[in-house]
Amino acid sequence: MGRFSKMHGLGNDFVVIDARAQPIAMTEARARAIADRHAGIGCDQLIVIGEADDADVSMQIFNADGSEVEACGNATRCVPLFVGRDVTIRTKAGLLDARLIEGGASVDMGAPRFDWDAIPLAYAMDALTMGASWEDLPAPAAVNVGNPHVVFFVDDLDAVDTARLGPLIEHDPLFPQRVNVNFAQVAGDNHIRLIVWERGAGLTRACGTGACATAVAAIRRKLMSGPVTVSLPGGDLVIDWQPGGHIQMTGPATHVFDGEADWSRF
């Protein structure tokens, strides 16, 4: 039997497995089976905590479809709560610092990248105002915050068919590694409403990296200055970024329950 914790950040939920004492061989099929909400444990993402030579812990992230991804902001906030102290975390996106605060965590998410080949896009274009769009959506911005994001600033978020447009854009050939799709509306001074279609997971209650990418895009377009409050369906995150610097993300993290499972059955 293996132990796991169920955790969430603003409703973006995770199965967290500690593989430091009891290693687990994680495959795409196993991750997908564990994440299944009907026949498995159920989650948006599966998180595997392991050892690291250059950090306190390592973190592997698997989406509900079994695909492994580089970054997950909401999961990163859960790691210090899971470990019980401030930690440095080795991820595929780089080294992250996460510290506990009252009710959650604050994470240094590193520096965003804007070059077309770093996002990545299929061919060269301006990532701040892309020379591409879909249907009636305005020209988006693209940002890599450890994983690829495209951000659309719309006048009326409630009028956007996010469930239909999200997968259409996620799988567009312009994005060779697929993409997280952010639909944003400026709601006030330094305040954004956001809905995210997450690559490999679909519509989620919250997306930490999406909030980071959207706040950075808004600041770059001079729509506002940091810190920015990003309101997602699951609640609010505060994102602070100054051009040339690192992104600081602050928000809730919640431990729901602990359990045991026989991983050989997945």
Side-chain angles (χ1 to χ4, degrees):
M1 300 294 289
R3 293 189 59 79
F4 69 91
S5 292
K6 188 69 183 290
M7 308 185 78
H8 75 86
L10 297 180
N12 181 195
D13 65 327
F14 314 104
V15 169
V16 185
I17 298 172
D18 193 340
R20 292 173 295 177
Q22 187 176 4
I24 178 173
M26 190 55 62
T27 64
E28 181 174 319
R30 174 172 281 175
R32 186 168 58 247
I34 293 170
D36 189 297
R37 295 190 184 276
H38 300 287
I41 299 170
C43 60
D44 290 324
Q45 278 89 22
L46 172 68
I47 310 301
V48 180
I49 304 297
E51 301 282 0
D53 293 333
D54 59 345
D56 295 317
V57 295
S58 65
M59 175 172 66
Q60 281 184 287
I61 307 156
F62 298 85
N63 278 335
D65 68 353
S67 58
E68 186 175 0
V69 294
E70 307 89 345
C72 178
N74 289 324
T76 304
R77 292 199 314 281
C78 290
V79 175
L81 184 63
F82 180 81
V83 176
R85 59 183 173 86
D86 299 350
V87 286
T88 55
I89 308 164
R90 168 55 63 188
T91 72
K92 291 184 74 173
L95 195 63
L96 304 177
D97 288 306
R99 58 183 177 84
L100 290 168
I101 62 168
E102 184 67 29
S106 187
V107 181
D108 180 341
M109 294 292 291
R113 292 179 289 172
F114 309 112
D115 293 337
W116 69 271
D117 53 347
I119 288 165
L121 303 176
Y123 50 87
M125 69 170 65
D126 179 10
L128 183 57
T129 305
M130 295 172 60
S133 193
W134 289 261
E135 299 186 6
D136 295 330
L137 292 171
V143 185
N144 187 299
V145 289
N147 55 2
H149 286 264
V150 62
V151 184
F152 297 88
F153 291 99
V154 300
D155 293 330
D156 183 0
L157 186 57
D158 297 322
V160 179
D161 190 349
T162 54
R164 183 179 63 83
L165 290 168
L168 179 73
I169 298 166
E170 176 195 350
H171 293 278
D172 192 284
L174 179 58
F175 306 105
Q177 295 181 11
R178 297 187 292 165
V179 73
N180 298 283
V181 188
N182 301 268
F183 303 96
Q185 178 183 338
V186 175
D189 293 341
N190 297 330
H191 184 201
I192 293 172
R193 287 183 61 213
L194 179 64
I195 294 175
V196 183
W197 176 274
E198 197 163 348
R199 177 183 58 166
L203 290 173
T204 58
R205 297 279 296 162
C207 178
T209 57
C212 291
T214 300
V216 165
I219 292 169
R220 289 191 77 212
R221 286 194 175 183
K222 304 188 186 306
L223 300 175
M224 56 192 64
S225 59
V228 176
T229 298
V230 181
S231 295
L232 297 123
D236 293 350
L237 294 172
V238 176
I239 311 298
D240 200 7
W241 177 71
Q242 298 298 321
H246 284 203
I247 305 166
Q248 195 73 30
M249 175 190 60
T250 303
T254 303
H255 176 268
V256 183
F257 66 85
D258 297 318
E260 290 187 343
D262 181 355
W263 301 129
S264 68
R265 300 184 64 177
F266 292 93

